[in-house]
């Protein structure tokens, strides 16, 4: 298709798909704006990955802004989403569950559109593109120069996981994570593993290849990594240990080591800053603000507010008295589910470096004290322990100690030597969990509330 014809197609395309997207998009697991009115769509870019007018199925890559005025205060005015739309005359029965709808007018009038990632003929195209670096319209496909070659013809299948993005597994050899809600600028889920791979740190799967869009704004769209087929995540392993009445201290120790190795490599590879008095006060003030907002949303927090505020104030006071902390790039959302253990070689790998997706990208990319990740993992041991009845608080305490010892063994710094900062980050995390559980899973609320009581009672 000529460029002029392609532009005409793009302009007419979105209005013709809009009625179908209105129905389909809010039902997708990865759609972040559920429950809020969708006022309309605007097209950021449209790229034909496979011709739409050819004899076979077509594949359309869309970046679409979704206007949701109710969300304007918490999200961008219009979040941008990545869509891969399959186009066929009729859908074979096996693809029926992936139907988006039948297009009534515009350039695709009379055609059927569907979730392209569910069609192996279409998702194979993405791997083919990633095999050969180059550009296609606004899309640029790149490869890590030291990564192993990508073989041809690996069969794709969608990963069947509850996730906020979409992943495809190719022949049990590679996994491609496609970011759904995208933000301008480098995605840390590419940036950090790439920095680790370049530094020779093997604690995260190597980003073998990736693709981005470079116009009109830069977006990271997808990252291909080796698929760790014989692996299980530490959350599953921890629950099994609990169910079998087994300790988890050896694993926790190894997780501490891995965390420290990742932190050390990130601190060498990417910029660090020193947090002095003013920045420390800002940090404590932001935590206090989140606590106050949380207490408004969840009244059960109110009696604990003075003691929890004191935990944040303690950090501000240390800063005022000249205590400085190093801030560096961190994982940002570390928990037991983010560590995979490979049963064949016993190695641990850390995954999903995108940070907490609900926070703005600029905040997620900002250097922070490494203790923040440690606090995330400590909270996760607590969660694991609480899923088991009868509750065994000693199990979590042993894990916490083993994790910190493993961390110290690998980098020489024991996170417990910074009790004020660790307590502040754990408190901040527990406050976040209280709000999340109250809103989404009230049955789980007692888990972070127990941590709130413990942290509030700490001397
Ligand atoms: N390299 C890998 N090898 C094997 N499995 C993997 C790999 N990377 C991710 N997974 C599996 O895919 C799942 C989803 O991956 P990931 O956490 O990166 O996606 P996500 O969309 O960010 O998920 P979430 O919404 O939970 O944050 C993981 O929980 C893990 O089970
Ligand atoms: Mg994630």
């Amino acid at each position: 298709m000529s460029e002029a014809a392609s532009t005409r197609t793009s302009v007419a395309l979105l209005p013709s798909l809009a009625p179908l997207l209105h129905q389909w998009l809010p039902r997708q697991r990865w759609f972040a704006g559920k429950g809020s009115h969708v006022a309309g769509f605007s097209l950021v870019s449209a790229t034909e990955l496979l011709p739409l007018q050819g004899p076979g199925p077509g594949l359309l890559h869309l970046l679409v802004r979704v206007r949701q005025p109710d969300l304007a205060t918490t999200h961008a005015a219009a979040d941008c989403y990545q869509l891969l739309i399959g186009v066929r005359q009729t859908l074979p029965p096996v693809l029926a569950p992936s139907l988006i709808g039948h297009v009534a007018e515009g350039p695709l009038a009379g055609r059927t559109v569907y979730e392209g990632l569910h069609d192996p003929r279409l998702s194979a195209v993405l791997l083919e593109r990633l095999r050969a670096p180059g550009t296609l319209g606004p899309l640029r496909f790149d490869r890590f120069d030291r990564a192993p070659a990508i073989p041809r013809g690996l069969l794709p299948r969608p990963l069947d996981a509850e996730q906020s993005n979409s992943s495809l597994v190719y022949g049990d050899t590679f996994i491609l994570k496609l970011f759904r809600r995208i933000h301008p600028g480098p995605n840390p889920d590419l940036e950090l593993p790439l920095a680790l791979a370049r530094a020779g740190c093997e604690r995260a799967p190597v980003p073998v290849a990736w693709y981005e869009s470079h116009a009109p704004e830069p977006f990271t769209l997808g990252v291909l990594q080796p698929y760790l087929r014989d692996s299980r995540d530490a959350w599953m392993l921890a629950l099994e240990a609990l169910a079998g009445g087994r300790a988890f201290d050896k694993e926790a120790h190894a997780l501490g080591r891995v965390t420290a190795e990742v932190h050390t490599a990130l601190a060498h590879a990417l910029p660090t800053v020193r947090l002095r008095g003013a920045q420390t006060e800002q940090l404590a003030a932001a935590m206090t603000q989140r606590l106050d907002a949380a207490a408004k949303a969840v009244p059960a927090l109110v009696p604990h507010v003075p003691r929890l505020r004191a935990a944040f104030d303690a950090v501000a006071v240390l800063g005022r008295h000249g205590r400085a902390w190093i801030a560096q790039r961190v994982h940002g959302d570390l928990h037991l589910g983010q560590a995979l253990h490979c049963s064949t070689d016993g190695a641990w790998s850390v995954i999903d470096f995108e940070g907490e997706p609900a926070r703005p990208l600029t905040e997620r990319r900002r250097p922070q004290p490494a203790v923040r990740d440690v606090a995330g993992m400590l909270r996760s041991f607590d969660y694991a322990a609480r899923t088991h009845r009868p509750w065994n608080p000693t199990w979590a305490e042993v894990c916490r100690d083993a994790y910190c010892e493993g961390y110290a063994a690998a980098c020489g710094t024991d996170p417990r030597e910074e009790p004020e900062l660790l307590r502040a980050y754990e408190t901040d995390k527990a406050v976040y969990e209280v709000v999340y559980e109250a809103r989404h899973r009230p049955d789980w609320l007692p888990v972070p509330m127990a941590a709130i009581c413990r942290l509030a009672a700490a001397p």
Side-chain angles (χ1 to χ4, degrees):
M1 197 188 302
S2 75
E3 203 162 296
S6 155
T7 307
R8 274 200 307 279
T9 306
S10 301
V11 169
L13 194 63
L14 198 61
S16 68
L17 292 178
L20 304 178
L21 294 181
H22 260 289
Q23 300 295 319
W24 179 78
L25 205 53
R27 294 202 311 264
Q28 303 314 299
R29 161 95 176 75
W30 40 263
F31 184 66
K34 286 197 184 72
S36 294
H37 171 65
V38 174
F41 303 99
S42 55
L43 189 68
V44 175
S45 72
T47 312
E48 286 186 25
L49 282 165
L50 278 180
L52 303 185
Q53 306 299 348
L59 179 58
L60 181 63
H61 181 278
L62 291 182
L63 298 182
V64 173
R65 281 199 190 284
V66 182
R67 279 197 308 283
Q68 294 192 275
D70 310 353
L71 295 182
T73 49
T74 49
H75 289 217
D79 282 332
C80 190
Y81 287 89
Q82 175 177 205
L83 311 180
L84 280 120
I85 308 285
V87 181
R88 290 187 186 233
Q89 214 61 6
T90 48
L91 270 194
V94 65
L95 287 173
S98 310
L99 177 74
I100 298 176
H102 307 286
V103 186
E105 53 188 20
L108 298 178
R111 316 288 289 279
T112 302
V113 289
Y114 60 104
E115 168 53 85
L117 297 186
H118 293 169
D119 184 345
R121 274 177 77 177
L122 302 187
S123 39
V125 172
L126 285 170
L127 191 71
E128 267 313 296
R129 284 279 168 193
L130 290 164
R131 276 169 41 80
T135 57
L136 178 69
L139 305 182
R140 190 175 59 229
F141 296 81
D142 259 314
R143 294 209 42 200
F144 179 50
D145 45 9
R146 281 179 269 151
I150 306 170
R152 255 180 206 286
L154 295 172
L155 280 186
R157 63 176 167 87
L159 185 78
D160 184 19
E162 284 279 299
Q163 59 175 142
S164 49
N165 298 285
S166 298
S167 296
L168 292 164
V169 178
Y170 289 93
D172 277 357
T173 310
F174 292 104
I175 180 166
L176 172 63
K177 177 170 174 179
L178 294 101
F179 301 108
R180 288 300 198 166
R181 184 157 71 101
I182 54 169
H183 310 269
N187 187 314
D189 208 8
L190 170 61
E191 186 187 20
L192 299 191
L194 200 54
L196 291 172
R198 287 185 175 138
C201 173
E202 295 178 349
R203 295 315 203 171
V206 177
V208 173
W210 56 92
Y211 69 107
E212 296 162 303
S213 119
H214 53 83
E217 286 175 295
F219 289 108
T220 310
L221 298 174
V223 181
L224 186 79
Q225 308 174 342
Y227 181 66
L228 308 171
R229 88 193 83 172
D230 299 320
S231 67
R232 316 219 14 234
D233 69 53
W235 173 256
M236 300 303 300
L237 297 173
L239 296 193
E240 270 178 23
L242 275 159
R246 292 192 307 277
F248 196 64
D249 55 330
K250 286 194 182 58
E251 292 85 346
H253 192 275
L255 287 167
R257 288 198 79 99
V258 175
T259 310
E261 284 170 25
V262 167
H263 283 163
T264 305
L266 290 177
H268 280 122
L270 296 167
T272 60
V273 292
R274 244 182 139 65
L275 296 183
R276 297 189 190 279
Q279 292 104 318
T280 306
E281 285 200 49
Q282 272 169 18
L283 188 98
M287 289 176 169
T288 307
Q289 231 170 35
R290 286 194 282 271
L291 169 64
D292 292 344
K296 284 203 184 97
V298 187
L301 272 176
V302 172
H304 304 289
V305 166
R307 299 277 308 167
L308 300 179
R309 269 174 162 261
F312 301 142
D313 288 345
V315 171
V317 167
L318 284 176
R320 237 175 278 144
H321 286 93
R323 180 78 176 85
W325 281 285
I326 299 288
Q328 62 158 95
R329 297 299 301 278
V330 297
H331 181 282
D333 189 19
L334 195 63
H335 54 78
L336 285 162
Q338 309 280 39
L340 302 183
H341 179 255
C342 180
S343 60
T344 37
D345 62 5
W348 287 94
S349 299
V350 179
I351 58 163
D352 193 11
F353 285 77
E354 66 177 339
E356 282 173 19
R359 299 203 189 206
L361 189 63
T362 42
E363 190 185 318
R364 291 190 258 146
R365 294 188 64 227
R366 204 175 288 151
Q368 302 173 62
V371 159
R372 183 186 159 159
D373 283 346
V374 171
M377 194 60 101
L378 297 186
R379 293 292 313 118
S380 201
F381 289 126
D382 207 20
Y383 257 77
R386 291 270 174 178
T387 59
H388 188 69
R389 295 227 166 74
W391 176 50
N392 177 356
T394 317
W395 185 93
E397 270 163 42
V398 170
C399 286
R400 294 163 68 90
D401 286 338
Y403 179 76
C404 292
E405 277 154 27
Y407 193 97
C411 75
T413 310
D414 191 318
R416 292 168 297 185
E417 287 163 15
E418 301 282 5
E420 295 86 3
L421 198 63
L422 186 57
R423 182 176 167 212
Y425 270 108
E426 262 200 274
T427 305
D428 189 43
K429 184 80 187 171
V431 166
Y432 166 85
E433 291 163 359
V434 165
V435 176
Y436 180 88
E437 303 301 8
R439 209 172 272 164
H440 302 288
R441 306 188 299 184
D443 289 358
W444 285 73
L445 190 55
V447 177
M449 278 311 296
I452 290 289
C453 295
R454 172 175 59 81
L455 289 157

